[in-house]
Amino acid sequence: MSSRSLMLGFVALGAALVAPGSRSFAQERSETPEMVTRQFGAAMRTNDWVGTAELMHPDALARFRGMFLPIVTADSTGKLCERLFATRSTAEVAALPDAELFARFFRTLVSGAPEVSGMFAGADVLPVGHVLEGNDVAHVVFRMKVAADGVTITKVQAMSLRRSGKTWRVLLSGDFEGLAAALARRTGP
């Protein structure tokens, strides 16, 4: 996998996920899945990676850790700790709280590739509606427009969210599993 393919994969991954205003206020009132999707898109657009992490479901953040910690542990060179999380060791990665680990992943990605930051800054997320799967999972269909280098790309996607108290929080997309599997193949025996 070339570094350009890996970078494009990261961009697609961020887009597939999709600045929260007042996060504490959000906890006090009921939010719709579309509202949370808009907040997530706004946080991405402003490179507010702490904000995106706060909008993730706690189970999704734990799952993210479970996918990426074994990968950096298996990398005997230590390069992935630096490339993915801007840390010097697996122990440092392991000590990070789940939300900080997730935020660092995107912060590191964007800081290493300014063009990726520009793509996120040019992204606009417009929720169309949602479909419930049971009572606790919603799939929000949204139109994402990404403008970069004078080109605008429009794509319709879906984002899954799970109830968390009175509000909804974002789940990981399957793209993370694909990325984790690709990285594991590169670091495995």
Side-chain angles (χ1 to χ4, degrees):
M1 178 183 292
S2 72
S3 17
R4 179 154 173 76
S5 297
L6 189 58
M7 182 177 69
L8 291 173
F10 284 139
V11 171
L13 178 62
L17 277 173
V18 203
S22 170
R23 292 183 212 42
S24 61
F25 179 68
Q27 296 299 321
E28 297 169 10
R29 63 180 168 81
S30 183
E31 293 178 303
T32 66
E34 290 85 356
M35 290 169 73
V36 175
T37 300
R38 267 190 227 99
Q39 291 172 0
F40 196 89
M44 282 180 48
R45 193 170 39 257
T46 60
N47 291 319
D48 177 7
W49 307 118
V50 171
T52 59
E54 289 177 358
L55 290 165
M56 294 297 294
H57 194 281
D59 294 346
L61 293 172
R63 187 167 159 228
F64 179 85
R65 170 183 295 283
M67 286 189 289
F68 283 89
L69 192 55
I71 293 167
V72 295
T73 300
D75 176 30
S76 60
T77 69
K79 289 180 182 175
L80 282 178
C81 289
E82 179 65 33
R83 266 183 104 182
L84 299 179
F85 301 106
T87 61
R88 287 179 253 173
S89 70
T90 302
E92 195 177 337
V93 172
L96 294 171
D98 291 348
E100 176 62 18
L101 187 69
F102 185 85
R104 274 203 190 203
F105 176 82
F106 279 99
R107 189 179 314 119
T108 304
L109 166 69
V110 169
S111 68
E115 62 276 12
V116 175
S117 177
M119 290 184 82
F120 283 130
D124 190 26
V125 175
L126 178 64
V128 176
H130 74 271
V131 176
L132 287 175
E133 182 179 335
N135 292 322
D136 294 332
V137 175
H139 305 286
V140 177
V141 175
F142 64 94
R143 179 171 284 111
M144 176 174 262
K145 291 182 182 181
V146 178
D149 295 330
V151 177
T152 300
I153 299 168
T154 301
K155 187 174 181 181
V156 175
Q157 295 183 254
M159 178 186 301
S160 298
L161 297 91
R162 180 179 293 146
R163 280 193 198 276
S164 181
K166 290 184 178 182
T167 191
W168 296 85
R169 289 294 174 250
V170 179
L171 298 173
L172 291 178
S173 70
D175 293 331
F176 274 104
E177 290 175 3
L179 176 61
L183 289 170
R185 279 193 302 275
R186 291 178 75 186
T187 58

